[in-house]
Amino acid sequence: MLSDTYGRVATDLRVSLTDRCNLRCTYCMPEEGLRWLPKPELLTDDEIVRLVTVAVRELGVTEVRFTGGEPLLRPGLVSIVERCAALSPRPRLSVTTNGIGLERVAGALRAAGLDRVNVSLDTLDADTFRTLTRRDRHADVLRGLAAARAAGLDPVKVNTVLMPGVNDTEAADLLAWAIAHDYELRFIEQMPLDPQHGWQRDTMVTAQDILRDLAARFALVPESEAARGAAPAERWVVDGGPHRVGVIASVTRPFCRTCDRTRLTADGQVRTCLFAREESDLRGALRDGADDAELAARWRTAMWGKKAGSGLDDPSFLQPQRPMSAIGG
């Protein structure tokens, strides 16, 4: 098991496959991009599968989410999914993507064993999308979502970040659209992920703001705490069901006390939290010939030191020192 001193057990592994991305979202990275990791520093496909295998067979991980950067940019993604789906016990597998290129690979990913997909989409308006991402790819994302649904990936979740003065009036329209297309919409409070440090707590769109706007058009009934479990999203049944909407209030209502996640960065570092200041190196040990038992022991030690909270509930919180693209969402 991957337990910590606060009684939490990590069963959900987030694996960043690359630090690269084909969008330049204003809340994530500067327009010119970032300094990408040199290829030798990145885990190889075999190394990723080896570490996922250790997590599943030795450490009790039951859910694996592949993230980035943009994971669809990883040439070996379909093979990685296929090899992880062949593990016993078999973990539940998902991908978080911006949706660009998903139209092309959704069927192959499903055939390889992918269970579901999360697609980031912050607006229904192509011009606003261009403003937010600095790219004209809105139609590609919509086609990717449709392809995921057609391929049988279920559920298809849509992750949305609302930003003041940009797309903060779209909450109800986005939910109506998601219901019409049978997608599960989740709003995520904007977190201090931008390396240009433009995030401001006093101007962010909060969960309370989002729920107020949704309640003006829809009847929302909250799910029970038991139904939520360790999931980061609080969910509401919309207009009597069956559709639901989620809100991840990472800043105003942190869920650290029930967190069940462990993270593996694109360059093979264990992170106990998205906003952790410390990392534990597995890549070095792996390349030095460590066996599975030693890798598992190092991972357990790293997770045992997990802090009680992320620090996001502290008004003086400063942005993480590492670019989020290498860590994964």
Side-chain angles (χ1 to χ4, degrees), residues 70-98:
E70 173 44 53
L72 297 191
L73 294 179
R74 179 89 184 201
L77 173 60
V78 173
S79 175
I80 290 170
V81 169
E82 185 174 33
R83 293 166 68 184
C84 291
L87 293 175
S88 181
R90 185 199 187 283
R92 185 162 171 81
L93 302 173
S94 61
V95 165
T96 294
T97 171
N98 62 30

Side-chain angles (χ1 to χ4, degrees), residues 77 149 267 302 304:
L77 173 60
R149 167 63 64 214
D267 54 351
W304 187 249

Side-chain angles (χ1 to χ4, degrees), residues 283-323:
R283 183 193 64 198
L286 189 157
R287 293 181 179 178
D288 285 342
D291 61 16
D292 288 358
E294 181 179 344
L295 292 171
R298 286 172 176 261
W299 209 326
R300 288 191 191 97
T301 299
M303 292 304 295
W304 187 249
K306 183 172 182 172
K307 292 181 169 54
S310 65
L312 278 173
D313 51 351
D314 180 356
S316 65
F317 181 83
L318 297 177
Q319 284 85 352
Q321 296 171 332
R322 269 192 96 183

Side-chain angles (χ1 to χ4, degrees), residues 246-270:
V247 178
I248 300 178
S250 304
V251 178
T252 61
R253 297 204 286 264
F255 45 87
C256 300
R257 64 183 177 82
T258 60
C259 180
D260 65 349
R261 296 181 185 181
T262 183
R263 298 176 180 275
L264 186 65
T265 68
D267 54 351
Q269 310 299 306
V270 170

Side-chain angles (χ1 to χ4, degrees), residues 192-242:
L193 305 181
D194 57 322
Q196 59 268 42
H197 304 320
W199 179 83
Q200 296 183 39
R201 180 183 293 266
D202 57 352
T203 61
M204 61 172 284
V205 180
T206 67
Q208 184 176 355
D209 298 329
I210 295 165
L211 292 169
R212 180 198 63 224
D213 291 348
L214 295 180
R217 191 185 303 185
F218 304 95
L220 303 177
V221 176
E223 283 191 333
S224 66
E225 284 293 316
R228 180 184 182 185
E234 299 175 74
R235 297 203 309 174
W236 284 260
V237 178
V238 182
D239 289 344

